[in-house]
Amino acid sequence: MCGIVGLHLREPSLEPRLGALLSAMLGQVVERGPDSAGVAVYGDPRLSPPGRAVVSLLGVTPAEAEAALPGAVAVAADATTVVHADGDLPTAVKAALPHATVIGSGTGMAVLKGTGNPIELAQSFGLAGVTGWQAVGHTRMATESAVTPEGAHPFSVGPGQCLVHNGSFANHATIRRELRVQGVTFDSENDSEVGARFIAHQLEQGADLEKALKLLCERFDGFYTLLVSTADSFAVVRDAIACKPALVAETPQWVAMASEYRALDVLPGVEHARIFEPEPEEVYVWRR
């Protein structure tokens, strides 16, 4: 049992409130995942300044990152160090900081993860002060792998892409082996990372997000609700049985998804929202 929240803003006047709204949503699903948490934020100028490459790292302090990467600026967020710079930052990080774990990269997006109480983590991240146009969050109850920042969600394994997952993939070991044969590498034993790597691989092969999620439904066994975000999209899909809870709320100002209604109830104008439960194996995509 884990908790998922996500918010895609259509109304620019709400962007200064993105972090505060996501913090409130995250606080409503703590009981679903009390051991760790993470968020991905799109559009915050402090974490991801326009035009700058961004990498989120574990295992490196801000001082170490700035010393190893000339011209880079590093921001601390609990266990995560967010680095932004000009140029090909992922390649520079790989060369200068080979011991670091990359948990997110792209432009305009930062990933923050840690272990412990999700409300305390949100405070440590400074989430309430974050701005932007889209964010996803997750509270984890670990079942198949260790409670570590690496095992926390979101899993961001392609540029600007993130996945959060409630449920379990029964055949993740088989698919992990298949992806490794194709050259895909992994950072954890978490089954959710396999789903994220599968989607990223499909996107690299030319599929759009809707097609990638349909292929996941065809290939993966198990129970799951997924929220997947990219640099311009926000998507939800559930397995064929749809036993893992999910609700979507939509207004002209925003689209939101959460594991429980109470996480939606904190949003402005929710009383006028169209609220529905996603149908099994139907892919829902909203784009910027």
Side-chain angles (χ1 to χ4, degrees):
M1 184 171 72
C2 297
I4 296 174
V5 294
L7 183 59
H8 173 93
L9 297 179
R10 293 166 159 168
E11 173 54 60
S13 66
L14 288 174
E15 292 183 7
R17 300 175 59 190
L18 176 71
L21 292 172
L22 194 78
S23 292
M25 295 178 74
L26 200 69
Q28 296 300 316
V29 293
V30 170
E31 292 85 356
R32 299 190 64 84
D35 62 50
S36 52
V39 298
V41 179
Y42 294 76
D44 182 83
R46 183 180 72 95
L47 295 173
S48 54
R52 301 267 279 181
V54 182
V55 173
S56 297
L57 303 172
L58 296 175
V60 173
T61 67
E64 289 172 329
E66 291 183 346
L69 301 164
V73 175
V75 179
D78 198 79
T80 306
T81 294
V82 180
V83 182
H84 55 83
D86 295 323
D88 186 355
L89 188 54
T91 298
V93 166
K94 186 176 180 179
L97 299 166
H99 59 289
T101 299
V102 176
I103 59 170
S105 66
T107 57
M109 181 201 75
V111 176
L112 315 174
K113 303 205 285 191
T115 57
N117 181 276
I119 293 176
E120 294 174 0
L121 284 171
Q123 294 170 346
S124 181
F125 296 156
L127 184 58
V130 164
T131 66
W133 63 273
Q134 179 171 273
V136 300
H138 187 271
T139 62
R140 185 179 182 222
M141 181 177 289
T143 56
E144 87 311 319
S145 61
V147 179
T148 64
E150 289 83 356
H153 301 216
F155 281 97
S156 177
V157 299
Q161 302 164 20
C162 284
L163 172 146
V164 291
H165 173 205
N166 176 24
S168 60
F169 295 130
N171 60 337
H172 65 92
T174 298
I175 298 174
R176 183 187 289 109
R177 287 193 296 270
E178 293 172 356
L179 290 173
R180 280 178 169 154
V181 169
Q182 298 176 64
V184 177
T185 60
F186 290 82
D187 296 321
S188 76
E189 294 302 312
N190 192 300
D191 65 329
S192 304
E193 185 185 358
V194 181
R197 298 280 179 187
F198 179 88
I199 292 168
H201 186 65
Q202 298 303 321
L203 294 176
E204 288 173 0
Q205 299 302 307
D208 62 17
L209 184 58
E210 184 174 14
K211 178 63 174 178
L213 290 172
K214 287 181 178 178
L215 290 170
L216 182 144
C217 291
E218 294 174 6
R219 186 68 187 84
F220 281 69
D221 296 327
F223 307 112
Y224 53 86
T225 290
L226 303 177
L227 173 58
V228 179
S229 58
T230 71
D232 67 355
S233 302
F234 183 88
V236 175
V237 70
R238 304 168 81 191
D239 67 82
I241 299 175
C243 68
K244 294 299 180 180
L247 288 169
V248 172
E250 184 173 8
T251 75
Q253 290 73 43
W254 47 262
V255 179
M257 179 269 174
S259 296
E260 297 188 23
Y261 174 78
R262 58 180 176 164
L264 301 173
D265 195 41
V266 302
L267 297 174
V270 69
E271 65 273 17
H272 304 299
R274 180 176 78 98
I275 300 175
F276 63 93
E277 185 175 348
E279 294 294 329
E281 291 193 323
E282 183 169 341
V283 178
Y284 300 81
V285 182
W286 294 267
R287 291 185 170 86
R288 192 177 188 193

